[in-house]
Amino acid sequence: MFVARRMKKTIVTVPPSASLLEAQGRMRGYNIRQVPVVSEDGTLLGIVSDRDIRAAVLPAGLVPGFTAEEAEKFMKSTPVERVMTRKVITATLNDTLEDAIVLLHDFRVNALPVVDAAGKIAGIITRTDVLEAFIEALGVGEVSSRLEVVVPDRPGTLAQLAAIIGSFHVNITSVLTTRHVEEGKRANFFRVATLNIGPIRKAIEEGGFEILDPTRLTFP
Amino acid sequence: MRRLAWVYHPDYLLHSPPFEHPESPERLVAITEHLERAGLIPRMVPVTPDYPEDADVLSVHDREYLNKVEDACRRGDLTLDSEDTYLNRHSYNIALLSAGGAIAGAKAVAEGTVDRAFCAVRPPGHHAGRGVGMGFCLLNNTAIAARYLQSRHGVGKVLIVDWDVHHGNGTQNIFLEDPTVFFFSIHEHPTFLYPGTGRRWETGKGKGEGTTLNAPMAPGAGDAEYRATFEQMLEPAMERFRPEIVLISAGFDAHRDDPLADIQLTEEGFRFMTRHVNELADRFCGGKVVSILEGGYETLSLTSCIEIHVRELLGE
C-alpha cells in the first residue's frame, strides 16, 4: 500500500512570511499539531509545529516584565521562517506505507509532508493516519471473534488454519502473524465473523494446533 | 416473596436450526423441565405472550428490515447473512413472539399484576440492531420492551442491565443517543470475544452521552471481579440515573462451563448479580424488574443458573 492512498490531500499550509500567531491560529482551527511551510508555487520550505512556537516564545517569557501583550506582539511580528524546521523529513509519492511507518518511528516525527518529484507538496501523512490503517487492518470494531493460534514455524500452517476456518463457512476479517516468544514457533491472530467460535477452536485443536487460552494471560 | 411472572410460549420451540447450532430449542426444553422438577413453575404467575403490535416492533426496527427477515423466511432461506443467524419458515413469527414475550413481561410488571417477570424467550435479541440481525438475534426483545414501556405505560426512564457474556451491541446502538434509556453492559473484553465492541470509552453519543456504560472484563474474570464491577459501576449509575424500571438482558454464558466464552462465573455469581439488581430496583424503582433471556449454551450451567435466578427473583 502506498502513502498516496493514505495521505491527506487537502493540506493546511502557511507561507514563510506568516506570523507565529497566524500559524498557531491555523493549527488550533484545524486541530493539528504542525503545518508545512510552502512557497507560493507549493515548494516545501519547512515545517513548523506547535512545539516550535512554544519553544520560540518561552525564552522571551523568561525576560523580567515580559507581559502577555508583549508575547502576542512577539508572535505577531515573528515570521514562521525564523523558527521552522528546514530539514524536513518527507515521504514521496512513491513511498509505501511501510516506508512512512519506519520514517515516523526512526526520526521520531509526528507527520511527514509528502512531496512530488518537483519537491512540491502533494499531501501529508501523520501518525494518526497510520494508526487508522492499523485499526482497519486489525479489524478492530468489526463484528467478529478473535482466535490466537500458536503454530510451528514452517510453511503451510497458515493455509491449514485458513482451510479449517473456511470449512465452517466463516469469513476471516483480519490475519496477523508474528514471532512467538517460544523459539521455532509463530503466533497467528485471526478475526473471524462469527459468534460461534467454539467449534472452530475445537477443530483447530483437533488439527494439532495450540490455541492460546486467554484465561491464562497474566496481568501485572 | 414476590409475585413473579413466568412468560413462556410453546411456539418458541418452532425456531429451530437447520444445522448444528448452539442456540437451539433444547435450551428452553431443558429450562422448563428443570424449573418444573424444582417445583418452581407453579410458584410463578403464568403469562402467555401474544404477537406484538406493529407499532411496538417498529419503535425499534426499520420496516425494510422486518420485510427482509419475513421474505427470507418465506423463501426458505437457511440463514440471514451468515450462519450465525439461522432461519426456518417460522423464524420471523417466532422472533415477533419472542419480542411479544418481553412486552408481556414488561406489561405485567408495569400494570402491577406481578412484581417481577422472567421471560423465557428465544430467539435472543441483544445483538440485533435497528436494521440488522446478527449473533443468533433477529429482533431486539429488550429494546422493544423498553420502548413499549415508554409509549404505552408512560414510563420515562428505563435502565437495562445486560450481563450476557457478549457485548449487547444491538441494544447499545439503538439507545446510543437516547438519554432516557440507560444501557449497562458487562461482558468479556472485546479484544477477545464477539462482537468486538463495548470498550470502556463507549459511553453514548450526543444527548445520550453518559447513559451508556460498558464494563469489559478480562478473560478469566470470575465472581469476585463481577461483584466489584457491579458495586463500583452499576450502583452509582443507578443512583444518578434513577430509573423507573429495570430490564435485565439475562444471558447465562458467562458461566465457567459455557463453551462460547472465557469468563469464569459460578452459580454464586449469578445469584449475586440477580440479588444486587433486585436490591437496587427496590431502592430506586419500586422493585420493578423484568428479566429477558439472552444467551447461555451449556445445559447444566444454564438450567442451574436460571433456577437460582428465578429463586432470587421470587425473593425466597
Side-chain angles (χ1 to χ4, degrees):
Chain A
M1 193 198 290
F2 289 92
V3 163
R5 247 194 69 196
R6 282 280 171 185
M7 69 185 188
K8 295 283 183 290
K9 287 176 190 135
T10 43
I11 333 146
V12 181
T13 62
V14 289
S17 59
S19 73
L20 297 188
L21 198 68
E22 284 170 74
Q24 191 183 55
R26 306 220 85 186
M27 285 187 241
R28 285 187 181 156
Y30 288 93
N31 193 23
I32 52 179
R33 283 183 280 171
Q34 64 285 309
V35 279
V37 181
V38 297
S39 66
E40 262 172 55
D41 68 352
T43 306
L44 180 71
L45 302 173
I47 191 163
V48 64
S49 70
D50 53 358
R51 243 167 96 176
D52 294 334
I53 293 176
R54 251 181 287 134
V57 179
L58 195 64
L62 296 175
V63 175
F66 189 75
T67 62
E69 292 80 58
E70 278 171 308
E72 203 182 309
K73 210 174 130 198
F74 172 77
M75 285 181 65
K76 266 185 189 161
S77 62
T78 310
V80 289
E81 64 184 337
R82 272 186 43 200
V83 308
M84 70 186 186
T85 304
R86 288 167 193 276
K87 273 187 74 181
V88 188
I89 313 298
T90 57
T92 72
L93 284 170
N94 297 325
D95 283 341
T96 61
L97 197 57
E98 286 183 9
D99 293 326
I101 294 169
V102 174
L103 284 171
L104 288 167
H105 175 264
D106 287 4
F107 290 93
R108 302 178 59 86
V109 290
N110 185 53
L112 302 167
V114 184
V115 292
D116 63 17
K120 295 205 169 115
I121 190 148
I124 189 162
I125 187 159
T126 67
R127 290 186 173 207
T128 306
D129 300 321
V130 167
L131 287 176
E132 206 173 87
F134 264 107
I135 289 170
E136 270 180 47
L138 292 173
V140 180
E142 264 187 75
V143 174
S144 53
S145 298
R146 193 171 93 140
L147 276 171
E148 201 168 329
V149 192
V150 176
V151 300
D153 191 1
R154 57 173 154 75
T157 48
L158 191 58
Q160 278 176 274
L161 287 172
I164 294 172
I165 297 169
S167 72
F168 287 89
H169 308 283
V170 161
N171 274 339
I172 299 172
T173 54
S174 169
V175 184
L176 182 76
T177 160
T178 65
R179 267 201 310 263
H180 189 52
V181 280
E182 237 177 286
E183 264 309 289
K185 287 192 173 175
R186 293 192 73 82
N188 292 329
F189 303 81
F190 297 90
R191 276 207 164 268
V192 291
T194 180
L195 188 162
N196 195 10
I197 197 74
I200 303 179
R201 276 195 194 183
K202 208 170 144 223
I204 288 173
E205 280 173 336
E206 282 166 6
F209 299 105
E210 178 192 354
I211 300 243
L212 279 192
D213 177 0
T215 63
R216 283 183 307 165
L217 295 174
T218 48
F219 291 91
Chain B
M1 280 291 292
R2 305 285 174 112
R3 291 164 302 160
L4 175 63
W6 159 248
V7 184
Y8 177 76
H9 198 294
D11 286 355
Y12 287 152
L13 307 183
L14 293 177
H15 170 67
S16 67
F19 39 78
E20 201 180 312
H21 196 285
E23 205 292 288
S24 71
E26 282 71 45
R27 296 174 62 230
L28 274 193
V29 173
I31 290 167
T32 47
E33 282 179 4
H34 182 90
L35 292 179
E36 202 116 21
R37 267 200 310 277
L40 287 167
I41 300 273
R43 299 184 40 205
M44 298 187 276
V45 180
V47 172
T48 305
D50 212 336
Y51 286 90
E53 303 279 342
D54 268 6
D56 292 327
V57 182
L58 287 167
S59 68
V60 167
H61 294 285
D62 300 333
R63 169 60 76 191
E64 303 82 75
Y65 171 64
L66 300 181
N67 292 343
K68 176 184 159 175
V69 180
E70 189 176 15
D71 291 348
C73 292
R74 195 177 297 138
R75 272 199 307 270
D77 288 8
L78 299 184
T79 61
L80 181 79
D81 304 332
S82 93
E83 286 192 12
D84 270 3
T85 314
Y86 64 80
L87 299 172
N88 68 9
R89 288 189 177 278
H90 304 289
S91 296
Y92 179 63
N93 285 336
I94 304 312
L96 287 173
L97 198 57
S98 186
I103 287 176
K107 181 173 193 259
V109 172
E111 289 178 346
T113 50
V114 295
D115 303 300
R116 299 170 181 154
F118 178 63
C119 311
V121 299
R122 63 178 289 279
H126 74 149
H127 295 307
R130 251 171 236 297
V132 61
M134 65 175 89
F136 316 170
C137 300
L138 293 171
L139 301 180
N140 197 310
N141 307 320
T142 305
I144 291 170
R147 282 283 182 249
Y148 162 84
L149 285 163
Q150 292 185 319
S151 64
R152 311 270 180 179
H153 293 276
V155 172
K157 290 187 287 180
V158 179
L159 185 138
I160 297 169
V161 177
D162 185 331
W163 72 49
D164 188 282
V165 78
H166 305 93
H167 177 235
N169 56 332
T171 317
Q172 173 168 308
N173 285 336
I174 288 163
F175 299 118
L176 198 65
E177 298 187 49
D178 187 338
T180 67
V181 178
F182 194 107
F183 179 66
F184 170 71
S185 182
I186 183 167
H187 45 264
E188 184 173 340
H189 194 288
T191 287
F192 304 94
L193 195 71
Y194 184 95
T197 50
R199 292 174 196 269
R200 64 184 158 76
W201 54 85
E202 295 170 24
T203 53
K205 235 173 102 177
K207 283 189 180 144
E209 178 64 55
T211 51
T212 294
L213 185 62
N214 282 296
M217 306 298 284
D223 295 348
E225 289 83 1
Y226 264 59
R227 183 184 199 111
T229 304
F230 268 79
E231 285 168 351
Q232 286 159 21
M233 290 179 77
L234 180 62
E235 200 167 332
M238 193 110 68
E239 192 151 5
R240 237 181 19 248
F241 183 70
R242 303 279 166 155
E244 291 153 58
I245 189 164
V246 176
L247 308 185
I248 305 174
S249 261
F252 295 88
D253 39 8
H255 191 277
R256 62 180 172 193
D257 293 339
D258 198 281
L260 264 55
D262 316 294
I263 297 296
Q264 306 287 311
L265 290 187
T266 70
E267 276 72 359
E268 289 316 301
F270 287 94
R271 188 192 309 282
F272 166 77
M273 292 194 292
T274 312
R275 190 174 288 178
H276 189 66
V277 171
N278 281 341
E279 283 167 4
L280 291 175
D282 280 348
R283 253 169 76 195
F284 296 114
C285 55
K288 295 193 184 78
V289 175
V290 181
S291 171
I292 298 153
L293 182 63
E294 300 283 358
Y297 306 98
E298 195 280 316
T299 308
L300 283 180
S301 59
L302 174 66
T303 51
S304 62
C305 288
I306 285 183
E307 177 186 337
I308 286 168
H309 183 58
V310 163
R311 286 186 188 279
E312 286 298 323
L313 288 170
L314 277 166
E316 281 196 331

